[in-house]
Amino acid sequence: MSWTVAPEPPCSPAAMALWRAYYTEVSDRWYLLHEGRRTDPAELEREIAAPTWDELRPPRGTLLVARWAGEPSGTAGVRLLDAGTAELTRVFVRDALRGRGGGPVLVRAAEDAARTLGAARVVLDTRHDLVEARALYARLGYAETAPHNDDEYAEHWFAKALA
């Protein structure tokens, strides 16, 4: 079995299911670490429904969905911040499939999408507790940088020049 990655509308059933899984995991991790509780289900639904995800639609962005054995199993989003800089966002692989190369496949596909959008550089942010994500980005050549945004949950910022 192998990974396949393709663009998909952000509001597709596959994307929405993966975002629900992503938000549940990252939100639960944050609340368990900081407040000793899991995410309130109503709060989770509000957060999933709030954004329009227009920035992940052409011509300024794209959403990629990765499939393992044909099943939607991961996402990565790319959006242009300016003419030469793209932001990598919402990188996620279902827990049961981690360790099978999905993260690197998604990030590389997102870098290709960023190049197609005209970007010469990719930036991203992540949290301190998402140690697996930070390790993945470092392995793939991303270097920690000064903050490029003021997102309330961002604690680490990375960048990579695209060849």
Side-chain angles (χ1 to χ4, degrees):
M1 291 193 207
S2 63
W3 291 98
T4 60
V5 179
E8 187 147 337
C11 60
S12 75
M16 295 304 291
L18 288 163
W19 277 343
R20 180 169 277 102
Y22 166 83
Y23 274 119
T24 299
E25 180 176 334
V26 297
S27 184
D28 279 355
R29 282 176 97 165
W30 192 90
Y31 279 120
L32 287 168
L33 180 65
H34 296 284
E35 297 183 12
R37 68 174 179 91
R38 293 196 179 279
T39 308
D40 175 86
E43 177 185 11
L44 181 67
E45 292 307 314
R46 278 191 311 274
E47 290 301 313
I48 291 169
T52 64
W53 306 109
D54 285 342
E55 71 272 10
L56 297 181
R57 296 178 193 276
R60 306 255 331 136
T62 191
L63 173 71
L64 301 169
V65 171
R67 286 178 165 73
W68 176 261
E71 291 297 316
S73 302
T75 63
V78 178
R79 65 181 179 158
L80 285 177
L81 297 179
D82 60 45
T85 305
E87 181 180 39
L88 177 61
T89 185
R90 307 292 184 245
V91 176
F92 173 73
V93 173
R94 289 192 185 273
D95 187 46
L97 294 169
R98 291 182 188 152
R100 296 184 186 198
V105 166
L106 270 165
V107 172
R108 288 184 185 112
E111 291 170 354
D112 289 343
R115 282 185 199 92
T116 299
L117 293 169
R121 178 174 87 114
V122 174
V123 298
L124 63 94
D125 66 67
T126 191
R127 294 189 332 227
H128 186 71
D129 62 309
L130 299 177
V131 294
E132 305 91 341
R134 292 187 359 247
L136 171 68
Y137 301 135
R139 252 189 346 266
L140 296 177
Y142 287 79
E144 281 213 52
T145 64
H148 64 268
N149 64 25
D150 60 357
D151 184 291
E152 66 180 303
Y153 296 109
E155 297 169 317
H156 295 269
W157 295 262
F158 290 83
K160 179 179 179 180
L162 298 174

